[in-house]
Coordinates of all heavy atoms in Angstrom, one line a residue:
R1 N -27.6 -12.2 -28.6 CA -27.0 -13.5 -28.8 C -27.0 -14.3 -27.5 O -26.7 -13.8 -26.4 CB -25.6 -13.3 -29.3 CG -25.3 -13.4 -30.7 CD -25.6 -14.7 -31.4 NE -25.2 -15.9 -30.6 CZ -23.9 -16.3 -30.6 NH1 -23.0 -15.8 -31.3 NH2 -23.6 -17.4 -29.8
V2 N -27.3 -15.6 -27.6 CA -27.2 -16.6 -26.5 C -25.9 -17.4 -26.7 O -25.8 -18.1 -27.8 CB -28.4 -17.5 -26.3 CG1 -28.2 -18.5 -25.2 CG2 -29.6 -16.6 -26.1
F3 N -24.9 -17.3 -25.9 CA -23.7 -18.0 -26.1 C -23.8 -19.5 -25.9 O -24.4 -20.0 -25.0 CB -22.6 -17.5 -25.2 CG -22.3 -16.0 -25.4 CD1 -21.8 -15.3 -24.3 CD2 -22.5 -15.4 -26.6 CE1 -21.5 -13.9 -24.5 CE2 -22.3 -14.0 -26.7 CZ -21.8 -13.3 -25.7
A4 N -23.3 -20.3 -26.9 CA -23.3 -21.7 -26.8 C -22.3 -22.3 -25.8 O -21.4 -21.6 -25.4 CB -23.0 -22.3 -28.2
R5 N -22.6 -23.5 -25.3 CA -21.7 -24.1 -24.3 C -20.2 -24.1 -24.8 O -19.3 -23.8 -24.0 CB -22.1 -25.5 -24.0 CG -21.2 -26.2 -22.9 CD -21.8 -27.5 -22.4 NE -23.0 -27.3 -21.6 CZ -23.0 -27.0 -20.3 NH1 -21.9 -26.8 -19.7 NH2 -24.1 -26.8 -19.6
A6 N -20.0 -24.4 -26.1 CA -18.6 -24.5 -26.6 C -17.9 -23.1 -26.5 O -16.7 -23.0 -26.2 CB -18.6 -25.0 -28.0
E7 N -18.7 -22.1 -26.8 CA -18.1 -20.7 -26.7 C -17.8 -20.4 -25.2 O -16.7 -19.8 -24.9 CB -19.2 -19.7 -27.2 CG -19.4 -19.8 -28.7 CD -20.5 -18.9 -29.2 OE1 -21.6 -18.9 -28.6 OE2 -20.3 -18.3 -30.3
L8 N -18.7 -20.7 -24.3 CA -18.5 -20.4 -22.9 C -17.3 -21.2 -22.4 O -16.5 -20.7 -21.6 CB -19.8 -20.8 -22.1 CG -21.0 -19.9 -22.4 CD1 -22.2 -20.5 -21.8 CD2 -20.8 -18.5 -21.9
E9 N -17.2 -22.5 -22.8 CA -16.1 -23.3 -22.3 C -14.8 -22.7 -22.8 O -13.8 -22.6 -22.0 CB -16.2 -24.7 -22.8 CG -17.4 -25.5 -22.1 CD -17.6 -26.9 -22.7 OE1 -17.1 -27.1 -23.9 OE2 -18.3 -27.7 -22.1
R10 N -14.7 -22.2 -24.0 CA -13.4 -21.7 -24.5 C -13.1 -20.4 -23.8 O -11.9 -20.2 -23.4 CB -13.5 -21.5 -26.0 CG -12.2 -21.0 -26.7 CD -11.2 -22.0 -26.5 NE -9.8 -21.5 -26.9 CZ -8.7 -21.7 -26.2 NH1 -8.8 -22.4 -25.0 NH2 -7.6 -21.2 -26.6
M11 N -14.1 -19.5 -23.6 CA -13.8 -18.2 -23.0 C -13.4 -18.4 -21.5 O -12.4 -17.8 -21.0 CB -15.0 -17.3 -23.0 CG -15.2 -16.8 -24.4 SD -16.5 -15.4 -24.5 CE -18.0 -16.4 -24.2
T12 N -14.0 -19.3 -20.8 CA -13.7 -19.6 -19.4 C -12.3 -20.3 -19.3 O -11.5 -20.0 -18.4 CB -14.7 -20.4 -18.7 OG1 -15.0 -21.6 -19.4 CG2 -16.0 -19.6 -18.6
E13 N -12.0 -21.1 -20.3 CA -10.7 -21.8 -20.3 C -9.6 -20.7 -20.5 O -8.6 -20.7 -19.7 CB -10.6 -22.8 -21.5 CG -9.3 -23.6 -21.5 CD -9.3 -24.7 -20.6 OE1 -10.4 -25.2 -20.2 OE2 -8.2 -25.2 -20.2
I14 N -9.8 -19.8 -21.4 CA -8.8 -18.7 -21.6 C -8.6 -17.9 -20.4 O -7.5 -17.5 -20.0 CB -9.2 -17.9 -22.8 CG1 -9.1 -18.7 -24.1 CG2 -8.3 -16.6 -22.9 CD1 -9.8 -18.0 -25.3
C15 N -9.7 -17.5 -19.8 CA -9.7 -16.7 -18.6 C -9.0 -17.4 -17.4 O -8.2 -16.8 -16.7 CB -11.1 -16.2 -18.2 SG -11.8 -15.0 -19.3
H16 N -9.3 -18.7 -17.2 CA -8.7 -19.4 -16.1 C -7.2 -19.5 -16.3 O -6.4 -19.4 -15.4 CB -9.4 -20.8 -16.1 CG -9.0 -21.6 -14.8 ND1 -7.9 -22.4 -14.7 CD2 -9.7 -21.7 -13.6 CE1 -7.8 -22.9 -13.5 NE2 -8.9 -22.6 -12.9
E17 N -6.8 -19.8 -17.5 CA -5.3 -19.9 -17.8 C -4.6 -18.6 -17.5 O -3.4 -18.6 -17.2 CB -5.1 -20.3 -19.3 CG -5.5 -21.7 -19.6 CD -5.3 -22.0 -21.1 OE1 -4.9 -21.1 -21.9 OE2 -5.6 -23.2 -21.5
N18 N -5.3 -17.5 -17.7 CA -4.6 -16.2 -17.6 C -5.0 -15.4 -16.4 O -4.8 -14.2 -16.3 CB -4.9 -15.4 -18.9 CG -4.2 -16.0 -20.1 OD1 -3.1 -15.7 -20.4 ND2 -5.0 -16.8 -20.9
H19 N -5.7 -16.1 -15.4 CA -6.0 -15.5 -14.1 C -6.9 -14.3 -14.3 O -6.7 -13.2 -13.6 CB -4.7 -15.1 -13.4 CG -3.7 -16.2 -13.3 ND1 -3.9 -17.3 -12.5 CD2 -2.5 -16.4 -13.9 CE1 -2.8 -18.1 -12.7 NE2 -2.0 -17.6 -13.5
V20 N -7.9 -14.4 -15.1 CA -8.9 -13.4 -15.4 C -10.2 -13.7 -14.7 O -10.7 -14.8 -14.9 CB -9.1 -13.2 -16.9 CG1 -10.2 -12.1 -17.1 CG2 -7.8 -12.8 -17.6
V21 N -10.7 -12.9 -13.8 CA -12.0 -13.1 -13.2 C -13.1 -12.8 -14.2 O -13.0 -11.9 -15.0 CB -12.1 -12.1 -12.0 CG1 -13.6 -12.1 -11.4 CG2 -11.2 -12.5 -10.8
I22 N -14.2 -13.6 -14.1 CA -15.3 -13.4 -15.0 C -16.5 -12.9 -14.1 O -16.8 -13.5 -13.1 CB -15.8 -14.7 -15.7 CG1 -14.7 -15.3 -16.6 CG2 -17.1 -14.5 -16.5 CD1 -15.1 -16.6 -17.2
I23 N -17.0 -11.7 -14.5 CA -18.3 -11.3 -14.0 C -19.3 -11.5 -15.1 O -19.2 -10.9 -16.2 CB -18.2 -9.8 -13.6 CG1 -17.1 -9.5 -12.6 CG2 -19.6 -9.3 -13.1 CD1 -16.9 -8.0 -12.3
S24 N -20.3 -12.3 -14.8 CA -21.3 -12.7 -15.8 C -22.6 -12.1 -15.5 O -23.3 -12.4 -14.6 CB -21.4 -14.3 -15.8 OG -22.3 -14.7 -16.9
D25 N -23.0 -11.1 -16.4 CA -24.3 -10.4 -16.3 C -25.3 -11.3 -17.1 O -25.2 -11.3 -18.4 CB -24.1 -9.0 -16.9 CG -25.4 -8.3 -17.0 OD1 -26.5 -8.8 -16.8 OD2 -25.3 -7.1 -17.4
E26 N -26.2 -11.9 -16.4 CA -27.2 -12.8 -17.0 C -28.6 -12.3 -16.9 O -29.6 -13.1 -16.8 CB -27.0 -14.2 -16.4 CG -25.5 -14.7 -16.6 CD -25.3 -16.1 -16.1 OE1 -26.2 -16.8 -15.6 OE2 -24.1 -16.5 -16.1
V27 N -28.8 -11.0 -17.0 CA -30.2 -10.4 -16.7 C -31.2 -10.7 -17.8 O -32.4 -10.6 -17.6 CB -30.1 -8.9 -16.3 CG1 -29.2 -8.7 -15.1 CG2 -29.6 -8.1 -17.5
H28 N -30.7 -11.0 -19.0 CA -31.6 -11.2 -20.1 C -31.9 -12.7 -20.4 O -32.3 -13.1 -21.5 CB -31.1 -10.5 -21.4 CG -31.2 -9.0 -21.4 ND1 -32.4 -8.3 -21.6 CD2 -30.3 -8.1 -21.1 CE1 -32.2 -7.0 -21.5 NE2 -30.9 -6.9 -21.2
S29 N -31.6 -13.5 -19.4 CA -31.6 -15.0 -19.6 C -32.9 -15.6 -19.5 O -33.1 -16.8 -20.0 CB -30.6 -15.6 -18.6 OG -31.1 -15.4 -17.3
L30 N -34.0 -15.0 -19.0 CA -35.2 -15.7 -18.7 C -36.1 -15.9 -20.0 O -36.8 -16.9 -20.0 CB -36.0 -14.9 -17.7 CG -35.4 -14.9 -16.3 CD1 -36.3 -14.0 -15.4 CD2 -35.3 -16.3 -15.7
I31 N -36.0 -15.0 -21.0 CA -36.8 -15.2 -22.2 C -35.9 -15.6 -23.3 O -35.0 -14.8 -23.8 CB -37.5 -13.8 -22.5 CG1 -38.5 -13.5 -21.4 CG2 -38.2 -13.9 -23.8 CD1 -39.1 -12.2 -21.4
T32 N -36.0 -16.8 -23.8 CA -35.2 -17.3 -24.9 C -36.1 -17.9 -25.9 O -37.2 -18.4 -25.6 CB -34.2 -18.3 -24.4 OG1 -34.9 -19.4 -23.8 CG2 -33.2 -17.7 -23.5
F33 N -35.7 -17.9 -27.2 CA -36.6 -18.3 -28.3 C -36.0 -19.5 -29.0 O -34.8 -19.7 -29.1 CB -36.7 -17.2 -29.3 CG -37.2 -15.9 -28.7 CD1 -36.5 -14.7 -28.7 CD2 -38.5 -15.8 -28.1 CE1 -36.9 -13.6 -28.1 CE2 -39.0 -14.7 -27.5 CZ -38.2 -13.5 -27.5
G34 N -36.9 -20.3 -29.5 CA -36.5 -21.5 -30.3 C -35.6 -22.4 -29.6 O -35.9 -22.8 -28.4
G35 N -34.6 -22.9 -30.2 CA -33.7 -23.8 -29.6 C -32.6 -23.2 -28.7 O -31.7 -23.9 -28.2
S36 N -32.6 -21.9 -28.6 CA -31.6 -21.2 -27.8 C -31.8 -21.6 -26.3 O -32.9 -21.5 -25.8 CB -31.7 -19.7 -28.0 OG -31.4 -19.4 -29.3
R37 N -30.7 -21.9 -25.6 CA -30.8 -22.2 -24.2 C -29.7 -21.5 -23.5 O -28.5 -21.7 -23.8 CB -30.7 -23.8 -24.0 CG -30.6 -24.2 -22.6 CD -30.6 -25.7 -22.4 NE -30.3 -26.1 -21.1 CZ -31.2 -26.1 -20.1 NH1 -32.4 -25.7 -20.3 NH2 -30.8 -26.5 -18.9
H38 N -30.1 -20.8 -22.5 CA -29.1 -20.1 -21.7 C -28.4 -21.0 -20.7 O -29.0 -21.9 -20.2 CB -29.8 -19.0 -20.8 CG -28.9 -18.4 -19.8 ND1 -27.8 -17.5 -20.2 CD2 -28.8 -18.5 -18.5 CE1 -27.2 -17.1 -19.1 NE2 -27.7 -17.7 -18.1
I39 N -27.1 -20.9 -20.6 CA -26.3 -21.7 -19.7 C -25.6 -20.7 -18.7 O -24.8 -19.9 -19.1 CB -25.2 -22.4 -20.5 CG1 -25.8 -23.4 -21.5 CG2 -24.3 -23.2 -19.5 CD1 -24.8 -24.0 -22.5
P40 N -26.0 -20.8 -17.4 CA -25.3 -20.0 -16.4 C -23.8 -20.3 -16.3 O -23.4 -21.4 -16.5 CB -26.0 -20.4 -15.1 CG -27.3 -21.1 -15.5 CD -27.0 -21.7 -16.8
V41 N -23.1 -19.2 -16.1 CA -21.6 -19.4 -16.0 C -21.2 -20.5 -15.0 O -20.2 -21.2 -15.2 CB -20.9 -18.1 -15.8 CG1 -21.1 -17.6 -14.4 CG2 -19.4 -18.2 -16.2
L42 N -21.9 -20.6 -13.9 CA -21.5 -21.6 -12.9 C -21.9 -23.0 -13.3 O -21.5 -23.9 -12.6 CB -22.2 -21.2 -11.6 CG -21.7 -19.9 -10.9 CD1 -22.4 -19.7 -9.6 CD2 -20.2 -19.8 -10.8
D43 N -22.5 -23.1 -14.4 CA -22.8 -24.5 -14.9 C -21.9 -24.9 -16.0 O -22.0 -26.0 -16.6 CB -24.3 -24.5 -15.5 CG -24.8 -25.9 -15.8 OD1 -24.5 -26.8 -14.9 OD2 -25.4 -26.1 -16.8
V44 N -20.9 -24.0 -16.4 CA -20.1 -24.3 -17.5 C -19.0 -25.4 -17.2 O -18.8 -26.4 -17.9 CB -19.4 -23.0 -18.0 CG1 -18.3 -23.3 -19.1 CG2 -20.4 -22.1 -18.6

């Protein structure tokens, strides 16, 4: 699964509100298919 921007925004919002650090493993991001587009966490 490639997470959509809305999903990433909601998860980071929840983590920010609750002082949770995010470690984002993005090693499978280079090969995507169709309309799927990877969004790096630092771009959220």
Side-chain angles (χ1 to χ4, degrees):
R1 264 297 316 281
V2 176
F3 299 153
R5 182 172 288 277
E7 293 173 316
L8 293 167
E9 288 173 347
R10 185 61 189 136
M11 288 190 290
T12 55
E13 184 80 25
I14 293 167
C15 289
H16 192 274
E17 288 176 1
N18 292 275
H19 311 289
V20 178
V21 169
I22 297 175
I23 301 172
S24 184
D25 175 350
E26 304 183 3
V27 300
H28 287 280
S29 61
L30 291 177
I31 294 170
T32 59
F33 305 117
S36 299
R37 175 175 168 78
H38 172 70
I39 300 169
V41 70
L42 295 183
D43 191 45
V44 173

